[in-house]
mmCIF file of all heavy atoms in Angstrom:
data_model
loop_
_atom_site.group_PDB
_atom_site.id
_atom_site.type_symbol
_atom_site.label_atom_id
_atom_site.label_comp_id
_atom_site.label_asym_id
_atom_site.label_seq_id
_atom_site.Cartn_x
_atom_site.Cartn_y
_atom_site.Cartn_z
ATOM 1 N N SER A 1 4.119 10.451 -13.263
ATOM 2 C CA SER A 1 4.865 11.669 -13.327
ATOM 3 C C SER A 1 6.277 11.323 -13.831
ATOM 4 O O SER A 1 6.868 12.397 -14.346
ATOM 5 C CB SER A 1 4.973 12.237 -12.045
ATOM 6 O OG SER A 1 3.707 12.652 -11.450
ATOM 7 N N THR A 2 6.686 10.237 -13.967
ATOM 8 C CA THR A 2 8.158 9.918 -14.285
ATOM 9 C C THR A 2 8.494 10.309 -15.791
ATOM 10 O O THR A 2 9.517 10.925 -16.024
ATOM 11 C CB THR A 2 8.410 8.502 -14.205
ATOM 12 O OG1 THR A 2 8.063 8.081 -12.766
ATOM 13 C CG2 THR A 2 9.886 8.123 -14.367
ATOM 14 N N PRO A 3 7.603 10.196 -16.725
ATOM 15 C CA PRO A 3 7.898 10.660 -18.123
ATOM 16 C C PRO A 3 8.116 12.144 -18.108
ATOM 17 O O PRO A 3 9.134 12.508 -18.852
ATOM 18 C CB PRO A 3 6.612 10.347 -18.956
ATOM 19 C CG PRO A 3 5.875 9.185 -18.246
ATOM 20 C CD PRO A 3 6.239 9.504 -16.771
ATOM 21 N N LEU A 4 7.422 12.946 -17.372
ATOM 22 C CA LEU A 4 7.775 14.267 -17.330
ATOM 23 C C LEU A 4 9.147 14.566 -16.695
ATOM 24 O O LEU A 4 9.986 15.425 -17.121
ATOM 25 C CB LEU A 4 6.759 15.088 -16.497
ATOM 26 C CG LEU A 4 7.093 16.518 -16.022
ATOM 27 C CD1 LEU A 4 7.365 17.454 -17.288
ATOM 28 C CD2 LEU A 4 6.051 17.051 -15.199
ATOM 29 N N HIS A 5 9.462 13.894 -15.601
ATOM 30 C CA HIS A 5 10.747 13.917 -14.910
ATOM 31 C C HIS A 5 11.929 13.531 -15.988
ATOM 32 O O HIS A 5 12.948 14.216 -15.984
ATOM 33 C CB HIS A 5 10.771 13.166 -13.786
ATOM 34 C CG HIS A 5 9.730 13.543 -12.737
ATOM 35 N ND1 HIS A 5 9.465 12.772 -11.558
ATOM 36 C CD2 HIS A 5 9.021 14.626 -12.678
ATOM 37 C CE1 HIS A 5 8.446 13.380 -10.939
ATOM 38 N NE2 HIS A 5 8.144 14.456 -11.635
ATOM 39 N N VAL A 6 11.686 12.497 -16.667
ATOM 40 C CA VAL A 6 12.586 12.114 -17.704
ATOM 41 C C VAL A 6 12.913 13.135 -18.710
ATOM 42 O O VAL A 6 14.092 13.441 -19.241
ATOM 43 C CB VAL A 6 12.187 10.823 -18.392
ATOM 44 C CG1 VAL A 6 13.067 10.486 -19.548
ATOM 45 C CG2 VAL A 6 12.204 9.664 -17.339
ATOM 46 N N LEU A 7 11.811 13.840 -19.124
ATOM 47 C CA LEU A 7 11.978 14.896 -20.165
ATOM 48 C C LEU A 7 12.770 16.135 -19.554
ATOM 49 O O LEU A 7 13.588 16.715 -20.181
ATOM 50 C CB LEU A 7 10.612 15.401 -20.518
ATOM 51 C CG LEU A 7 9.836 14.522 -21.573
ATOM 52 C CD1 LEU A 7 8.470 15.050 -21.828
ATOM 53 C CD2 LEU A 7 10.492 14.447 -23.023
ATOM 54 N N LEU A 8 12.565 16.279 -18.233
ATOM 55 C CA LEU A 8 13.183 17.465 -17.621
ATOM 56 C C LEU A 8 14.693 17.211 -17.620
ATOM 57 O O LEU A 8 15.484 18.094 -17.792
ATOM 58 C CB LEU A 8 12.636 17.714 -16.248
ATOM 59 C CG LEU A 8 11.169 18.427 -16.279
ATOM 60 C CD1 LEU A 8 10.745 18.515 -14.841
ATOM 61 C CD2 LEU A 8 11.157 19.675 -16.905
ATOM 62 N N TYR A 9 15.039 15.992 -17.260
ATOM 63 C CA TYR A 9 16.445 15.646 -17.246
ATOM 64 C C TYR A 9 17.082 15.912 -18.666
ATOM 65 O O TYR A 9 18.222 16.307 -18.825
ATOM 66 C CB TYR A 9 16.706 14.123 -16.870
ATOM 67 C CG TYR A 9 16.681 13.915 -15.286
ATOM 68 C CD1 TYR A 9 15.533 13.413 -14.679
ATOM 69 C CD2 TYR A 9 17.754 14.326 -14.540
ATOM 70 C CE1 TYR A 9 15.557 13.127 -13.353
ATOM 71 C CE2 TYR A 9 17.725 14.169 -13.276
ATOM 72 C CZ TYR A 9 16.605 13.530 -12.551
ATOM 73 O OH TYR A 9 16.553 13.369 -11.214
ATOM 74 N N LYS A 10 16.338 15.520 -19.707
ATOM 75 C CA LYS A 10 16.770 15.583 -20.999
ATOM 76 C C LYS A 10 16.839 17.158 -21.410
ATOM 77 O O LYS A 10 17.891 17.618 -21.947
ATOM 78 C CB LYS A 10 15.759 15.026 -21.971
ATOM 79 C CG LYS A 10 16.195 15.158 -23.490
ATOM 80 C CD LYS A 10 15.100 14.337 -24.339
ATOM 81 C CE LYS A 10 15.502 14.558 -25.838
ATOM 82 N NZ LYS A 10 14.437 13.824 -26.631
ATOM 83 N N PHE A 11 15.885 17.926 -21.085
ATOM 84 C CA PHE A 11 15.750 19.288 -21.386
ATOM 85 C C PHE A 11 17.011 20.126 -20.730
ATOM 86 O O PHE A 11 17.560 21.007 -21.317
ATOM 87 C CB PHE A 11 14.490 19.953 -21.108
ATOM 88 C CG PHE A 11 13.305 19.549 -21.788
ATOM 89 C CD1 PHE A 11 11.965 19.593 -21.314
ATOM 90 C CD2 PHE A 11 13.505 18.927 -23.109
ATOM 91 C CE1 PHE A 11 10.956 19.182 -22.063
ATOM 92 C CE2 PHE A 11 12.396 18.467 -23.869
ATOM 93 C CZ PHE A 11 11.137 18.635 -23.296
ATOM 94 N N LEU A 12 17.317 19.634 -19.483
ATOM 95 C CA LEU A 12 18.295 20.432 -18.687
ATOM 96 C C LEU A 12 19.724 19.944 -18.979
ATOM 97 O O LEU A 12 20.651 20.364 -18.468
ATOM 98 C CB LEU A 12 18.059 20.290 -17.166
ATOM 99 C CG LEU A 12 16.796 21.036 -16.753
ATOM 100 C CD1 LEU A 12 16.348 20.634 -15.342
ATOM 101 C CD2 LEU A 12 16.926 22.470 -16.754
ATOM 102 N N GLY A 13 19.787 18.994 -19.925
ATOM 103 C CA GLY A 13 21.134 18.437 -20.274
ATOM 104 C C GLY A 13 21.736 17.469 -19.291
ATOM 105 O O GLY A 13 22.972 17.260 -19.273
ATOM 106 N N TRP A 14 20.940 16.790 -18.454
ATOM 107 C CA TRP A 14 21.437 15.944 -17.401
ATOM 108 C C TRP A 14 20.933 14.416 -17.781
ATOM 109 O O TRP A 14 21.054 13.525 -16.889
ATOM 110 C CB TRP A 14 20.711 16.309 -16.095
ATOM 111 C CG TRP A 14 21.073 17.699 -15.588
ATOM 112 C CD1 TRP A 14 22.189 18.382 -16.003
ATOM 113 C CD2 TRP A 14 20.267 18.492 -14.749
ATOM 114 N NE1 TRP A 14 22.000 19.659 -15.279
ATOM 115 C CE2 TRP A 14 20.970 19.757 -14.619
ATOM 116 C CE3 TRP A 14 19.086 18.133 -14.103
ATOM 117 C CZ2 TRP A 14 20.530 20.785 -13.739
ATOM 118 C CZ3 TRP A 14 18.557 19.248 -13.264
ATOM 119 C CH2 TRP A 14 19.204 20.350 -13.097
ATOM 120 N N GLU A 15 20.711 14.149 -18.980
ATOM 121 C CA GLU A 15 20.206 12.721 -19.310
ATOM 122 C C GLU A 15 21.154 11.742 -18.922
ATOM 123 O O GLU A 15 20.803 10.572 -18.456
ATOM 124 C CB GLU A 15 19.884 12.754 -20.771
ATOM 125 C CG GLU A 15 19.027 11.498 -21.125
ATOM 126 C CD GLU A 15 18.493 11.569 -22.623
ATOM 127 O OE1 GLU A 15 19.004 12.560 -23.379
ATOM 128 O OE2 GLU A 15 17.557 10.877 -23.039
ATOM 129 N N ASP A 16 22.442 11.987 -19.123
ATOM 130 C CA ASP A 16 23.492 10.987 -18.852
ATOM 131 C C ASP A 16 23.660 10.764 -17.374
ATOM 132 O O ASP A 16 24.094 9.812 -17.043
ATOM 133 C CB ASP A 16 24.821 11.503 -19.476
ATOM 134 C CG ASP A 16 24.838 11.441 -20.955
ATOM 135 O OD1 ASP A 16 23.969 10.881 -21.625
ATOM 136 O OD2 ASP A 16 25.707 12.098 -21.613
ATOM 137 N N GLN A 17 23.271 11.740 -16.553
ATOM 138 C CA GLN A 17 23.370 11.539 -15.070
ATOM 139 C C GLN A 17 22.048 11.288 -14.465
ATOM 140 O O GLN A 17 21.916 11.271 -13.221
ATOM 141 C CB GLN A 17 23.957 12.778 -14.420
ATOM 142 C CG GLN A 17 25.408 13.211 -14.783
ATOM 143 C CD GLN A 17 25.423 14.102 -16.002
ATOM 144 O OE1 GLN A 17 24.681 14.981 -16.241
ATOM 145 N NE2 GLN A 17 26.393 13.721 -17.005
ATOM 146 N N MET A 18 20.991 10.918 -15.247
ATOM 147 C CA MET A 18 19.713 10.713 -14.564
ATOM 148 C C MET A 18 19.750 9.442 -13.775
ATOM 149 O O MET A 18 20.439 8.364 -14.140
ATOM 150 C CB MET A 18 18.706 10.477 -15.829
ATOM 151 C CG MET A 18 17.293 10.261 -15.333
ATOM 152 S SD MET A 18 16.126 10.306 -16.917
ATOM 153 C CE MET A 18 16.648 8.831 -17.747
ATOM 154 N N PRO A 19 19.031 9.527 -12.611
ATOM 155 C CA PRO A 19 19.060 8.413 -11.842
ATOM 156 C C PRO A 19 18.169 7.140 -12.313
ATOM 157 O O PRO A 19 17.358 7.349 -13.182
ATOM 158 C CB PRO A 19 18.425 8.923 -10.512
ATOM 159 C CG PRO A 19 17.570 10.035 -10.953
ATOM 160 C CD PRO A 19 18.331 10.671 -11.979
ATOM 161 N N GLN A 20 18.489 6.014 -11.746
ATOM 162 C CA GLN A 20 17.567 4.850 -12.157
ATOM 163 C C GLN A 20 16.324 4.958 -11.370
ATOM 164 O O GLN A 20 16.277 5.340 -10.115
ATOM 165 C CB GLN A 20 18.392 3.555 -11.936
ATOM 166 C CG GLN A 20 19.536 3.483 -12.754
ATOM 167 C CD GLN A 20 20.239 2.112 -12.632
ATOM 168 O OE1 GLN A 20 19.680 1.030 -12.995
ATOM 169 N NE2 GLN A 20 21.338 2.066 -12.065
ATOM 170 N N PHE A 21 15.257 4.560 -11.926
ATOM 171 C CA PHE A 21 13.890 4.601 -11.232
ATOM 172 C C PHE A 21 13.412 3.344 -10.801
ATOM 173 O O PHE A 21 13.599 2.267 -11.394
ATOM 174 C CB PHE A 21 12.945 5.219 -12.108
ATOM 175 C CG PHE A 21 13.123 6.669 -12.407
ATOM 176 C CD1 PHE A 21 13.763 7.090 -13.667
ATOM 177 C CD2 PHE A 21 12.736 7.609 -11.551
ATOM 178 C CE1 PHE A 21 13.993 8.330 -14.116
ATOM 179 C CE2 PHE A 21 13.052 9.034 -11.954
ATOM 180 C CZ PHE A 21 13.649 9.372 -13.157
ATOM 181 N N ALA A 22 12.776 3.180 -9.617
ATOM 182 C CA ALA A 22 12.145 1.958 -9.139
ATOM 183 C C ALA A 22 10.854 2.416 -8.433
ATOM 184 O O ALA A 22 10.912 3.039 -7.395
ATOM 185 C CB ALA A 22 13.140 1.182 -8.210
ATOM 186 N N HIS A 23 9.714 1.981 -8.939
ATOM 187 C CA HIS A 23 8.382 2.389 -8.436
ATOM 188 C C HIS A 23 7.871 1.190 -7.695
ATOM 189 O O HIS A 23 7.567 0.104 -8.287
ATOM 190 C CB HIS A 23 7.537 2.836 -9.450
ATOM 191 C CG HIS A 23 7.904 4.210 -9.937
ATOM 192 N ND1 HIS A 23 8.788 4.392 -11.091
ATOM 193 C CD2 HIS A 23 7.659 5.554 -9.541
ATOM 194 C CE1 HIS A 23 8.938 5.756 -11.298
ATOM 195 N NE2 HIS A 23 8.255 6.397 -10.312
ATOM 196 N N LEU A 24 7.596 1.374 -6.365
ATOM 197 C CA LEU A 24 7.196 0.307 -5.455
ATOM 198 C C LEU A 24 5.752 -0.010 -5.616
ATOM 199 O O LEU A 24 4.963 0.920 -5.885
ATOM 200 C CB LEU A 24 7.591 0.674 -3.950
ATOM 201 C CG LEU A 24 9.006 1.161 -3.725
ATOM 202 C CD1 LEU A 24 9.100 1.610 -2.197
ATOM 203 C CD2 LEU A 24 9.930 -0.090 -3.906
ATOM 204 N N PRO A 25 5.344 -1.314 -5.347
ATOM 205 C CA PRO A 25 3.850 -1.554 -5.543
ATOM 206 C C PRO A 25 3.047 -0.927 -4.481
ATOM 207 O O PRO A 25 3.613 -0.577 -3.390
ATOM 208 C CB PRO A 25 3.798 -3.203 -5.434
ATOM 209 C CG PRO A 25 5.044 -3.388 -4.562
ATOM 210 C CD PRO A 25 6.164 -2.350 -4.954
ATOM 211 N N LEU A 26 1.857 -0.733 -4.894
ATOM 212 C CA LEU A 26 0.811 -0.091 -3.947
ATOM 213 C C LEU A 26 0.751 -0.995 -2.735
ATOM 214 O O LEU A 26 0.701 -2.362 -2.795
ATOM 215 C CB LEU A 26 -0.442 0.153 -4.624
ATOM 216 C CG LEU A 26 -0.630 1.116 -5.629
ATOM 217 C CD1 LEU A 26 -2.035 1.176 -6.327
ATOM 218 C CD2 LEU A 26 -0.296 2.544 -5.101
ATOM 219 N N ILE A 27 0.278 -0.441 -1.600
ATOM 220 C CA ILE A 27 -0.168 -1.167 -0.306
ATOM 221 C C ILE A 27 -1.630 -1.050 -0.446
ATOM 222 O O ILE A 27 -2.223 0.091 -0.485
ATOM 223 C CB ILE A 27 0.369 -0.467 1.038
ATOM 224 C CG1 ILE A 27 1.963 -0.636 0.999
ATOM 225 C CG2 ILE A 27 -0.197 -1.187 2.114
ATOM 226 C CD1 ILE A 27 2.579 0.026 2.128
ATOM 227 N N LEU A 28 -2.365 -2.253 -0.522
ATOM 228 C CA LEU A 28 -3.756 -2.315 -0.653
ATOM 229 C C LEU A 28 -4.440 -2.470 0.615
ATOM 230 O O LEU A 28 -3.877 -2.861 1.685
ATOM 231 C CB LEU A 28 -4.056 -3.412 -1.594
ATOM 232 C CG LEU A 28 -3.329 -3.461 -3.022
ATOM 233 C CD1 LEU A 28 -3.672 -4.786 -3.722
ATOM 234 C CD2 LEU A 28 -3.751 -2.268 -3.745
ATOM 235 N N LYS A 29 -5.725 -2.222 0.600
ATOM 236 C CA LYS A 29 -6.624 -2.546 1.807
ATOM 237 C C LYS A 29 -6.526 -3.987 2.067
ATOM 238 O O LYS A 29 -6.115 -4.777 1.098
ATOM 239 C CB LYS A 29 -8.048 -2.173 1.352
ATOM 240 C CG LYS A 29 -8.413 -0.635 1.159
ATOM 241 C CD LYS A 29 -9.814 -0.407 0.672
ATOM 242 C CE LYS A 29 -9.912 0.990 0.291
ATOM 243 N NZ LYS A 29 -11.368 1.264 -0.286
ATOM 244 N N PRO A 30 -6.868 -4.405 3.202
ATOM 245 C CA PRO A 30 -6.965 -5.858 3.632
ATOM 246 C C PRO A 30 -7.641 -6.757 2.712
ATOM 247 O O PRO A 30 -7.256 -7.866 2.481
ATOM 248 C CB PRO A 30 -7.532 -5.861 5.081
ATOM 249 C CG PRO A 30 -7.148 -4.497 5.578
ATOM 250 C CD PRO A 30 -7.281 -3.534 4.389
ATOM 251 N N ASP A 31 -8.682 -6.195 2.092
ATOM 252 C CA ASP A 31 -9.552 -7.120 1.144
ATOM 253 C C ASP A 31 -8.945 -6.992 -0.347
ATOM 254 O O ASP A 31 -9.321 -7.676 -1.265
ATOM 255 C CB ASP A 31 -10.994 -6.682 1.158
ATOM 256 C CG ASP A 31 -11.335 -5.207 0.706
ATOM 257 O OD1 ASP A 31 -10.296 -4.584 0.211
ATOM 258 O OD2 ASP A 31 -12.307 -4.824 0.665
ATOM 259 N N GLY A 32 -7.875 -6.133 -0.458
ATOM 260 C CA GLY A 32 -7.232 -6.089 -1.833
ATOM 261 C C GLY A 32 -7.916 -5.217 -2.770
ATOM 262 O O GLY A 32 -7.527 -5.032 -3.885
ATOM 263 N N ASN A 33 -9.006 -4.568 -2.261
ATOM 264 C CA ASN A 33 -9.909 -3.714 -3.131
ATOM 265 C C ASN A 33 -9.397 -2.184 -3.088
ATOM 266 O O ASN A 33 -10.126 -1.431 -2.187
ATOM 267 C CB ASN A 33 -11.292 -3.963 -2.834
ATOM 268 C CG ASN A 33 -12.349 -3.098 -3.750
ATOM 269 O OD1 ASN A 33 -11.874 -2.840 -4.846
ATOM 270 N ND2 ASN A 33 -13.475 -2.927 -3.362
ATOM 271 N N GLY A 34 -8.370 -1.759 -3.682
ATOM 272 C CA GLY A 34 -7.948 -0.358 -3.639
ATOM 273 C C GLY A 34 -6.960 -0.118 -2.622
ATOM 274 O O GLY A 34 -6.516 -0.886 -1.841
ATOM 275 N N LYS A 35 -6.393 1.054 -2.868
ATOM 276 C CA LYS A 35 -5.189 1.507 -2.082
ATOM 277 C C LYS A 35 -5.600 1.821 -0.622
ATOM 278 O O LYS A 35 -6.596 2.270 -0.252
ATOM 279 C CB LYS A 35 -4.689 2.904 -2.680
ATOM 280 C CG LYS A 35 -3.352 3.296 -2.048
ATOM 281 C CD LYS A 35 -2.911 4.677 -2.662
ATOM 282 C CE LYS A 35 -1.730 5.173 -1.945
ATOM 283 N NZ LYS A 35 -1.319 6.465 -2.536
ATOM 284 N N LEU A 36 -4.724 1.430 0.367
ATOM 285 C CA LEU A 36 -4.956 1.512 1.740
ATOM 286 C C LEU A 36 -4.927 3.008 2.120
ATOM 287 O O LEU A 36 -4.041 3.768 1.747
ATOM 288 C CB LEU A 36 -3.842 0.791 2.557
ATOM 289 C CG LEU A 36 -3.969 1.152 4.102
ATOM 290 C CD1 LEU A 36 -5.092 0.230 4.612
ATOM 291 C CD2 LEU A 36 -2.682 0.463 4.693
ATOM 292 N N SER A 37 -5.945 3.554 2.757
ATOM 293 C CA SER A 37 -6.052 4.822 3.160
ATOM 294 C C SER A 37 -6.313 4.930 4.583
ATOM 295 O O SER A 37 -6.577 3.906 5.327
ATOM 296 C CB SER A 37 -7.355 5.627 2.325
ATOM 297 O OG SER A 37 -8.533 4.988 2.844
ATOM 298 N N LYS A 38 -6.306 6.084 5.114
ATOM 299 C CA LYS A 38 -6.504 6.340 6.553
ATOM 300 C C LYS A 38 -8.042 5.977 6.902
ATOM 301 O O LYS A 38 -8.357 5.336 7.954
ATOM 302 C CB LYS A 38 -6.276 7.815 6.925
ATOM 303 C CG LYS A 38 -6.585 8.094 8.532
ATOM 304 C CD LYS A 38 -6.311 9.687 8.809
ATOM 305 C CE LYS A 38 -6.544 9.914 10.158
ATOM 306 N NZ LYS A 38 -8.030 9.604 10.583
ATOM 307 N N ARG A 39 -8.842 6.405 6.074
ATOM 308 C CA ARG A 39 -10.265 6.061 6.138
ATOM 309 C C ARG A 39 -10.534 4.492 6.290
ATOM 310 O O ARG A 39 -11.242 3.998 7.088
ATOM 311 C CB ARG A 39 -11.126 6.617 5.131
ATOM 312 C CG ARG A 39 -12.701 6.229 5.087
ATOM 313 C CD ARG A 39 -13.392 6.872 4.151
ATOM 314 N NE ARG A 39 -13.410 8.346 4.062
ATOM 315 C CZ ARG A 39 -13.979 9.066 3.274
ATOM 316 N NH1 ARG A 39 -14.660 8.607 2.196
ATOM 317 N NH2 ARG A 39 -13.985 10.287 3.313
ATOM 318 N N ALA A 40 -9.830 3.740 5.357
ATOM 319 C CA ALA A 40 -10.000 2.345 5.359
ATOM 320 C C ALA A 40 -9.472 1.684 6.571
ATOM 321 O O ALA A 40 -9.911 0.739 7.174
ATOM 322 C CB ALA A 40 -9.265 1.718 4.051
ATOM 323 N N ALA A 41 -8.265 2.288 6.995
ATOM 324 C CA ALA A 41 -7.660 1.793 8.270
ATOM 325 C C ALA A 41 -8.548 2.050 9.435
ATOM 326 O O ALA A 41 -8.709 1.132 10.367
ATOM 327 C CB ALA A 41 -6.195 2.365 8.433
ATOM 328 N N ASP A 42 -8.978 3.297 9.589
ATOM 329 C CA ASP A 42 -9.945 3.555 10.687
ATOM 330 C C ASP A 42 -11.124 2.606 10.732
ATOM 331 O O ASP A 42 -11.548 2.114 11.774
ATOM 332 C CB ASP A 42 -10.439 4.999 10.557
ATOM 333 C CG ASP A 42 -9.280 6.114 10.777
ATOM 334 O OD1 ASP A 42 -8.293 5.664 11.312
ATOM 335 O OD2 ASP A 42 -9.479 7.185 10.509
ATOM 336 N N LYS A 43 -11.691 2.390 9.513
ATOM 337 C CA LYS A 43 -12.903 1.574 9.343
ATOM 338 C C LYS A 43 -12.576 0.030 9.839
ATOM 339 O O LYS A 43 -13.363 -0.521 10.550
ATOM 340 C CB LYS A 43 -13.417 1.501 7.912
ATOM 341 C CG LYS A 43 -14.656 0.651 7.764
ATOM 342 C CD LYS A 43 -15.211 0.856 6.260
ATOM 343 C CE LYS A 43 -16.511 0.053 6.190
ATOM 344 N NZ LYS A 43 -17.001 0.102 4.856
ATOM 345 N N ALA A 44 -11.293 -0.400 9.537
ATOM 346 C CA ALA A 44 -10.861 -1.725 9.890
ATOM 347 C C ALA A 44 -10.320 -1.734 11.404
ATOM 348 O O ALA A 44 -10.167 -2.879 11.937
ATOM 349 C CB ALA A 44 -9.921 -2.215 8.941
ATOM 350 N N GLY A 45 -10.206 -0.600 11.943
ATOM 351 C CA GLY A 45 -9.700 -0.548 13.345
ATOM 352 C C GLY A 45 -8.256 -0.929 13.682
ATOM 353 O O GLY A 45 -7.963 -1.289 14.624
ATOM 354 N N PHE A 46 -7.443 -0.345 12.757
ATOM 355 C CA PHE A 46 -5.914 -0.373 12.961
ATOM 356 C C PHE A 46 -5.256 0.906 12.629
ATOM 357 O O PHE A 46 -5.831 1.607 11.824
ATOM 358 C CB PHE A 46 -5.275 -1.716 12.217
ATOM 359 C CG PHE A 46 -5.498 -1.688 10.962
ATOM 360 C CD1 PHE A 46 -4.549 -0.872 9.922
ATOM 361 C CD2 PHE A 46 -6.376 -2.410 10.158
ATOM 362 C CE1 PHE A 46 -4.650 -0.925 8.508
ATOM 363 C CE2 PHE A 46 -6.488 -2.475 8.779
ATOM 364 C CZ PHE A 46 -5.640 -1.647 7.927
ATOM 365 N N PRO A 47 -4.077 1.159 13.093
ATOM 366 C CA PRO A 47 -3.460 2.424 12.874
ATOM 367 C C PRO A 47 -2.997 2.459 11.381
ATOM 368 O O PRO A 47 -2.731 1.462 10.695
ATOM 369 C CB PRO A 47 -2.271 2.521 13.839
ATOM 370 C CG PRO A 47 -2.510 1.291 14.706
ATOM 371 C CD PRO A 47 -3.291 0.277 14.005
ATOM 372 N N ILE A 48 -2.626 3.645 10.912
ATOM 373 C CA ILE A 48 -1.885 3.852 9.659
ATOM 374 C C ILE A 48 -0.677 4.653 9.759
ATOM 375 O O ILE A 48 0.030 4.928 8.733
ATOM 376 C CB ILE A 48 -2.893 4.505 8.649
ATOM 377 C CG1 ILE A 48 -2.417 4.085 7.202
ATOM 378 C CG2 ILE A 48 -3.180 5.930 8.765
ATOM 379 C CD1 ILE A 48 -3.450 4.216 6.152
#
């Protein structure tokens, strides 16, 4: 979604005041196969 947000800053004339972006890595399931979800946590028996 960030490219759209960058364009909106530009369109609204705020490009010079645009914040810096930092996108955090995904939290994966214990086996590393896909994003951690409530269903995966329930199946593994721990809270989310």
Side-chain angles (χ1 to χ4, degrees):
S1 299
T2 306
L4 168 59
H5 302 165
V6 170
L7 283 173
L8 290 175
Y9 278 105
K10 179 180 178 181
F11 294 159
L12 291 167
W14 301 334
E15 195 171 10
D16 291 343
Q17 294 89 44
M18 186 169 65
Q20 297 186 67
F21 295 99
H23 289 88
L24 307 177
L26 291 176
I27 298 177
L28 305 175
K29 298 175 188 177
D31 62 5
N33 186 24
K35 183 180 176 182
L36 180 66
S37 64
K38 181 180 179 299
R39 179 180 295 180
D42 289 345
K43 186 176 180 180
F46 60 82
I48 201 167

